[in-house]
Amino acid sequence: MDSQLGDTPWETLPERVRADLRDVDLLRTVWARRRQDRPQQRHGAARRELTRDRVREWGGGADLTDLLLTGESVSGEPLTGPHVAALAGRVAELPEGEERRTGVPDGPPLRPLRTALSTEHTLRLARAATVPAHPVVRAAHTYAECVRVAAEASGEETHGDGAAWTLPWVLASRVLQRADLPPLLLDPGTPPPDPAGKHDHEEPLAPLVSHMARLVTGALRDELAWNPEEAVPSGRPVPPLTAVTRRRVLEHVRSRRGSVALLLSALDPTATATVTSGD
């Protein structure tokens, strides 16, 4: 299994999460081959265009797009406490999110964290961003820890709207791009991380890991399909309903995976059912 898992045992992850991570790995292999066959400028243009449109849907601007896109040198850039503090400082300077575009799911606007983070907070985030795990698992750990840190630093309760904080998306996207994966395309439907202090650190985080894996596969598919000749003119983005519908259909098919496996096993005890990207 070529999964970039690092030191995290594959067997400790729930099967549904492993299936989503396998999906990421398989599609990334296809994406990597395609990237070799087309100019680097086109690859960068696809990523910037798609990220910019998603940020605009959320009411963000060019500064947030730049923060989510790190460039090619990011893999050699250490994510230390001071580096996290510098990123948090840039996020704090972002303007408040404007109204979202028509058709975007309801939810709170993006909120940059204005409160300066303590050294303890930045070190916590740096440790989360370097845990030995699959990049998507590591990104989910980073996102979850950052939502908690933002709540602590601001003195606010998240009430399940952690997706509205800007800093968790920026840090999680850095983690992914260090592993040569696309940044996360902001999604108001992201499940909130469970409170810290749970004895089982994998199971409570499983919904978040699965959700982020699907966001990554969606971003990879969008980059593979991007065509500059067919790109929608600036100011007229593809309706978000298209992306949401595709994700819901895939989730529905995945939810029926167990039932299909039971039917197949009645015919052949060794049969299994798997849903992968592109099905």
Side-chain angles (χ1 to χ4, degrees):
M1 180 67 212
D2 179 18
S3 63
Q4 309 180 66
L5 267 178
D7 296 334
T8 299
W10 182 257
E11 294 76 13
T12 64
L13 300 172
E15 174 54 32
R16 64 185 183 279
V17 177
R18 282 183 276 166
D20 288 328
L21 295 178
R22 282 193 292 265
D23 224 12
V24 171
D25 295 332
L26 288 170
L27 194 57
R28 182 189 175 279
T29 300
V30 175
W31 171 85
R33 291 199 201 104
R34 178 71 64 85
R35 187 175 65 170
Q36 292 174 352
D37 297 334
R38 65 183 182 182
Q40 180 62 34
Q41 294 87 345
R42 180 170 174 179
H43 163 71
R47 180 161 295 179
R48 176 162 289 278
E49 179 80 16
L50 293 166
T51 304
R52 184 188 64 187
D53 282 349
R54 190 57 173 157
V55 167
R56 283 179 173 177
E57 289 170 6
W58 267 65
D63 289 343
L64 177 54
T65 300
D66 290 339
L67 276 170
L68 290 170
L69 297 171
T70 59
E72 296 300 321
S73 62
V74 68
S75 59
E77 192 175 311
L79 274 172
T80 61
H83 182 66
V84 171
L87 278 176
R90 291 178 62 188
V91 170
E93 296 173 356
L94 293 173
E96 294 288 341
E98 300 174 358
E99 289 187 8
R100 297 185 188 176
R101 289 182 171 177
T102 303
V104 178
D106 292 333
L110 285 172
R111 292 188 296 160
L113 181 65
R114 307 296 188 193
T115 307
L117 298 181
S118 67
T119 300
E120 178 188 353
H121 283 150
T122 59
L123 289 177
R124 277 171 56 185
L125 294 176
R127 284 194 294 268
T130 54
V131 295
H134 188 287
V136 176
V137 177
R138 188 160 57 247
H141 274 287
T142 303
Y143 176 93
E145 187 67 12
C146 194
V147 169
R148 297 186 189 110
V149 164
E152 291 175 13
S154 64
E156 300 179 22
E157 294 290 336
T158 61
H159 300 298
D161 63 350
W165 291 110
T166 307
L167 185 58
W169 291 102
V170 171
L171 287 179
S173 292
R174 294 272 166 151
V175 169
L176 289 170
Q177 289 175 96
R178 285 170 62 84
D180 202 21
L181 287 168
L184 290 171
L185 300 181
L186 292 71
D187 181 18
T190 300
D194 285 296
K198 294 288 185 75
H199 295 294
D200 183 356
H201 294 290
E202 286 295 351
E203 192 63 37
L205 204 62
L208 181 59
V209 173
S210 289
H211 187 81
M212 288 194 169
R214 293 167 193 174
L215 292 180
V216 172
T217 55
L220 287 170
R221 281 195 300 269
D222 288 343
E223 288 191 11
L224 284 168
W226 187 82
N227 187 329
E229 287 76 24
E230 298 176 359
V232 178
S234 178
R236 292 177 55 199
V238 175
L241 183 59
T242 302
V244 172
T245 300
R246 181 177 62 187
R247 186 172 69 245
R248 296 304 184 202
V249 168
L250 191 56
E251 289 175 353
H252 176 77
V253 174
R254 281 198 178 97
S255 70
R256 300 297 186 271
R257 182 168 52 199
S259 301
V260 174
L262 288 174
L263 292 173
L264 292 176
S265 63
L267 301 173
D268 181 356
T270 64
T272 60
T274 304
V275 179
T276 57
S277 294
D279 286 357

